[in-house]
């Protein structure tokens, strides 16, 4: 291979590692939640304020992925060695630098649009670090902190709208998103029970079992839908019909996600848990679109929601499973190196079992 070819290959590998770290199937969500917060305000926000409501949460979200992967690098080396850092495609130093750069960019965008909201950006970044470094492996408190970050995004969007927020609706929507993302984050832990237990992470399913964690997540999700429905009397009449329709659609997706979780309980496989979480990753966009419609009506909400939802579903189908499970042929590859040395890999039997289950469950729950 020529020098130019080797450089091109290295560049492509590095870009792919960064893209995988971003999780493209999740990138639409924080910006849409920020826009939903901006919609819960009187008047018409300027394009600059709408850009800030979208861009700052998205940049913070990417920063959280970089920093979260950095703090999880040892745990991922055990159960998910194909990820960018444990596989050696992204260095820990580059992950930290990229995370800090994205956080600073979010702060600059916020300072230019609505500097009082800088406190929320700082609080959000502190929450990201606390969750990733300490609270992620400490039961329900970690899930609750993760949900609080999305609640802050709603408030952030309202504060950067450049108009007067309708605070009762904003706070109620923030509470709904807190309960929703606490539930969604808890569902995400159901597919990693063995890896979390091996890594010493005391998540709720590790501490209390999968059945208890699934039921807790379902109750939190139901609370989120009920709380969101309570926003109706506080919102503009023009958007209430669209809000009700989208909220019902979100609830239907939620039922589709939680039904197999509750039925399988202790026999839940990592693949089925991932499928349920994939539904929730798409469903939460519908919920954000519902809140957006209460302020701006159905046309702008659907104009944003439909392409973003399509992008999320398509990129999940293509990228999500390979981010969570070692791909075919991984056992034949050189053991991935980390900053601390050579990472242990799943056994051939374990990887083969995961791949077989993945192929069996390949049809989407949609």
């Amino acid at each position: 291979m020529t020098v130019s070819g080797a450089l091109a290959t290295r560049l492509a590998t590095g870009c792919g590692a960064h893209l995988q770290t971003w999780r493209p199937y999740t990138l639409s969500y924080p910006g849409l939640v920020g826009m939903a917060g901006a919609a819960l305000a009187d008047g018409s926000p300027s394009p600059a304020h709408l850009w800030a409501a979208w861009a700052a949460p998205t940049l913070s979200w990417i920063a959280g992925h970089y920093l979260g992967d950095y703090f999880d690098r040892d745990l991922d080396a055990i159960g998910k060695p194909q990820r960018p850092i444990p596989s050696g495609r992204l260095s820990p130093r580059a992950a930290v630098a990229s995370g800090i750069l994205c956080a600073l960019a979010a702060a600059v965008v916020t300072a230019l649009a609505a500097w009082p909201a800088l406190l929320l950006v700082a609080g959000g970044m502190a929450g990201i670090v606390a969750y990733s470094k300490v609270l992620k492996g400490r039961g329900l408190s970690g899930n609750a902190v993760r949900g609080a970050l999305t609640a802050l995004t709603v408030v952030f969007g309202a504060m950067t709208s450049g108009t007067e927020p309708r605070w009762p609706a904003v706070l109620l929507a923030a509470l709904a998103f807190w309960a929703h993302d606490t539930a969604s984050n808890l569902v995400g832990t159901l597919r990693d029970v063995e890896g979390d237990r091996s890594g010493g992470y005391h998540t709720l399913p590790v501490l209390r079992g999968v059945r208890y964690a699934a039921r807790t997540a379902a109750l939190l999700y139901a609370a989120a839908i009920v709380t969101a429905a309570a926003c109706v009397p506080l919102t503009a009449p023009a958007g209430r019909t669209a809000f009700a329709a989208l909220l019902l659609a979100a609830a239907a997706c939620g039922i589709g996600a939680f039904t197999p979780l509750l039925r399988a309980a202790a026999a839940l496989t990592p693949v089925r848990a991932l499928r349920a979480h994939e539904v929730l990753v798409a469903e939460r966009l519908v919920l954000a679109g519902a809140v957006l419609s209460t302020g701006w009506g159905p046309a702008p909400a659907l104009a944003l929601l439909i392409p973003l939802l399509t992008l999320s579903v398509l990129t999940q189908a293509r990228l999500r499973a390979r981010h969570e499970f070692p791909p075919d042929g991984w056992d034949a590859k050189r053991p991935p190196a980390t900053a601390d040395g050579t990472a242990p890999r799943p056994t051939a039997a374990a990887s083969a079992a995961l791949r077989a289950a993945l192929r069996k469950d390949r049809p989407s729950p949609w």
Side-chain angles (χ1 to χ4, degrees):
M1 181 182 292
T2 64
V3 174
S4 60
L7 289 175
T9 300
R10 184 173 181 179
L11 179 62
T13 300
C15 290
H18 282 279
L19 182 64
Q20 187 178 3
T21 303
W22 291 5
R23 281 91 151 162
Y25 39 86
T26 71
L27 281 187
S28 302
Y29 181 57
L32 195 60
V33 172
M35 295 278 274
L40 297 175
D42 295 321
S44 299
S46 68
H49 285 99
L50 290 179
W51 167 248
W54 178 280
T58 302
L59 288 166
S60 298
W61 185 271
I62 297 173
H65 283 320
Y66 276 119
L67 297 176
D69 282 3
Y70 170 78
F71 289 120
D72 283 349
R73 64 192 188 281
D74 293 331
L75 181 65
D76 286 343
I78 297 174
K80 302 175 182 179
Q82 79 284 358
R83 286 191 171 182
I85 294 179
S87 69
R89 291 177 291 125
L90 180 66
S91 71
R93 180 178 297 178
V96 172
S98 300
I100 292 174
L101 183 62
C102 289
L104 290 175
V108 170
V109 170
T110 303
L112 293 174
W115 65 265
L118 278 171
L119 185 62
L120 293 182
V121 175
M125 293 311 303
I128 287 172
V129 173
Y131 167 75
S132 300
K133 185 173 177 60
V134 179
L135 298 173
K136 183 176 181 178
R138 298 197 176 182
L140 190 59
S141 61
N143 309 120
V145 168
R146 175 60 190 81
L149 298 177
T150 307
L152 283 179
T153 303
V154 179
V155 179
F156 176 88
M159 290 183 65
T160 56
S161 64
T163 59
E164 182 62 29
R166 296 194 297 272
W167 283 114
V170 170
L171 296 178
L172 202 58
L175 181 61
F177 278 104
W178 170 80
H180 180 282
D181 276 25
T182 300
S184 178
N185 186 253
L186 182 52
V187 170
T189 65
L190 298 178
R191 67 180 183 274
D192 295 327
V193 177
E194 292 305 320
D196 287 340
R197 183 179 288 115
S198 299
Y201 278 48
H202 298 150
T203 61
L204 192 64
V206 170
L207 292 173
R208 302 293 299 272
V210 171
R211 184 188 301 274
Y212 182 90
R215 289 177 176 176
T216 302
L219 289 174
L220 284 165
Y221 180 83
I225 296 299
V226 172
T227 305
C231 293
V232 172
L234 304 174
T235 57
R240 291 178 183 175
T241 301
F243 172 79
L246 288 172
L247 185 62
L248 285 174
C253 292
I255 292 172
F258 278 100
T259 297
L261 294 183
L262 297 174
R263 285 179 175 174
L268 187 68
T269 65
V271 173
R272 290 192 179 277
L274 175 63
R275 295 303 182 214
H277 195 256
E278 286 179 339
V279 175
L280 293 178
V281 166
E283 172 270 342
R284 62 191 183 185
L285 291 173
V286 180
L287 180 61
V291 176
L292 189 67
S293 71
T294 64
W296 295 347
L302 291 175
L304 278 173
L305 175 62
I306 291 174
L308 295 179
L309 182 60
T310 301
L311 177 65
S312 178
V313 172
L314 292 178
T315 52
Q316 277 206 96
R318 184 170 180 81
L319 302 174
R320 186 74 190 275
R322 71 178 65 177
H323 187 70
E324 302 296 340
F325 303 130
D328 287 336
W330 182 263
D331 296 317
K333 297 181 180 179
R334 178 178 58 85
T338 67
D340 301 319
T342 300
R345 294 174 298 162
T347 64
S351 293
L354 276 175
R355 291 194 295 268
L358 187 59
R359 286 190 293 269
K360 182 180 179 181
D361 263 11
R362 178 63 68 181
S364 168
W366 295 91

